[in-house]
Amino acid sequence: MPLNIQKDFPILKRRVHGKRLVYLDNAATSQKPKIFLDALQKYYTTINANIHRGVHTLSEESTGAYEAVREKTAKFIGAQSAGEIVFTKNTTESINCVAVSWGKKNIKKGDEVIVSALEHHANLVPWQELCRETGAILKIIPLTEDFLLDIEGFQKLLNLNTKLVCVTGMSNVTGSIVPVKQITELSHAVGAKVLVDAAQSIAHSQTNVQNIGCDFLAFSSHKMLGPMGVGVLYIKESLIAEMSPYMYGGDMIETVEQYTSKYKTDYAKFEAGTQNVADVVAFGAALDYLKKIGMSAIEKHDRELLAYAKAKFSKFKQVKLFSPKNIKNCGPVLSFVVEGIHPHDIASVFDSQGVAIRAGFHCAEPLVRRLGVPSTARMSFYLYNTKADVDTAVKALQKTLKIFKIKN
């Protein structure tokens, strides 16, 4: 069943190249509902002031609004308390925070860090660098032929030298869903900590960190109807005390003397300097919107739309899809190639038809290389997309085949 919420997203009224905008690049960033846009304007026109530092009315109201979203975020992901939530600028910064603040203190020469073959560069490069600096060993979880994480292969990699396991919740290339709870249980059995990159999964299904059991979870607000420039890092409370700040400056300190400083010991030690207050406050409105619709309803909608798209695109013999066969194993991402046409050319023709898709490595170059192609075209769906959008994408594909004189 369609959610019938397109009217809530002003940008969807746009026309591109004279055609109705069909936005299918949601894995890169989502569009924003009016409730979020109104919240952002309201902040700047009513309570704009710096937080935590002032006793005047605007500062206190701004601080209250900012901290209220920390509480709201904690509840959204099932954290035990708001004290487990750190605001960053994106998922990448959140992961790098863990690499610097926890990794450099706990990962030593000979230790092992495990990532999966599905990872975005943001959940791969920091661990490559950490291993290079410390002398630790980086290991990669293989994939099955169906683009899923090879659990048996993962278990063979695990041992008492494993100190950290970092996996995505959902691939931004194949849409493959990773069983993060199972990964966490297996990892904890050998004493390893677990980080989940939830940048893709958080927007499409219910996420509960206590149910997963992970030690760290990172995501960005802009992929879930919120603003760019706001990331979230969940840190299990028991780990916060042993982690060091990774940036230094105002608001993360208790006291400062001429030659020494004493830092805060809670989550605040990770939020140095002026934060992106307005966008964090407006992010709260995006969370309210998602909660009102319901993550289960969004997941069902997205899955039905993906199934429809896979069925439509599978009818073209020149199209090769990179997606798990069972729809229950994948999120609303559909990467594909067309024999004889470069993915960038596909994306350009789609754009001429008003359809926004992405082409390239999708910041997952090792994964795309494993697929045996130079790059892919990618459609990604969200709660405001419809079957009519997919039908328009099919017409764009037909236009592409015609332009490049490829017969179906």
Side-chain angles (χ1 to χ4, degrees), residues 204-386:
H204 302 284
S205 60
Q206 186 66 52
T207 299
N208 187 297
V209 292
Q210 292 188 68
N211 180 53
I212 296 169
C214 58
D215 303 284
F216 309 100
L217 184 129
F219 60 95
S220 296
S221 71
H222 73 93
K223 296 181 191 292
M224 51 191 302
L225 310 184
M228 293 182 180
V230 174
V232 174
L233 173 61
Y234 158 80
I235 306 173
K236 188 177 290 185
E237 190 170 16
S238 59
L239 295 174
I240 293 176
E242 68 178 75
M243 295 171 65
S244 301
Y246 70 112
M247 292 194 298
Y248 300 85
D251 212 31
M252 51 74 67
I253 48 87
E254 287 287 355
T255 60
V256 176
E257 297 181 8
Q258 198 66 49
Y259 296 102
T260 60
S261 298
K262 182 180 179 182
Y263 310 125
K264 291 179 178 177
T265 58
D266 60 4
Y267 68 87
K269 65 184 173 183
F270 302 114
E271 294 184 9
T274 298
Q275 299 300 296
N276 188 359
V277 180
D279 282 337
V280 168
V281 172
F283 175 45
L287 290 175
D288 289 340
Y289 188 91
L290 291 172
K291 184 178 179 181
K292 181 180 179 181
I293 294 174
M295 296 309 298
S296 59
I298 293 171
E299 183 175 14
K300 181 180 178 182
H301 166 83
D302 291 348
R303 186 162 288 161
E304 289 178 354
L305 204 58
L306 177 65
Y308 184 75
K310 288 180 72 170
K312 290 287 186 177
F313 272 66
S314 295
K315 293 179 180 179
F316 294 85
K317 62 183 181 182
Q318 300 90 346
V319 174
K320 182 176 182 180
L321 304 178
F322 300 99
S323 178
K325 293 182 177 63
N326 191 331
I327 201 72
K328 293 183 179 180
N329 292 329
C330 50
V333 173
L334 190 59
S335 286
F336 65 97
V337 294
V338 178
E339 186 178 351
I341 310 177
H342 195 282
H344 287 93
D345 292 328
I346 296 172
S348 293
V349 177
F350 272 52
D351 179 64
S352 73
Q353 303 305 300
V355 183
I357 65 171
R358 190 156 291 259
F361 288 130
H362 318 296
C363 289
E365 184 173 352
L367 172 57
V368 174
R369 296 291 190 200
R370 284 170 184 260
L371 299 179
V373 293
S375 61
T376 75
R378 183 188 72 187
M379 300 183 293
S380 48
F381 312 100
Y382 204 15
L383 71 172
Y384 39 69
N385 290 126
T386 65

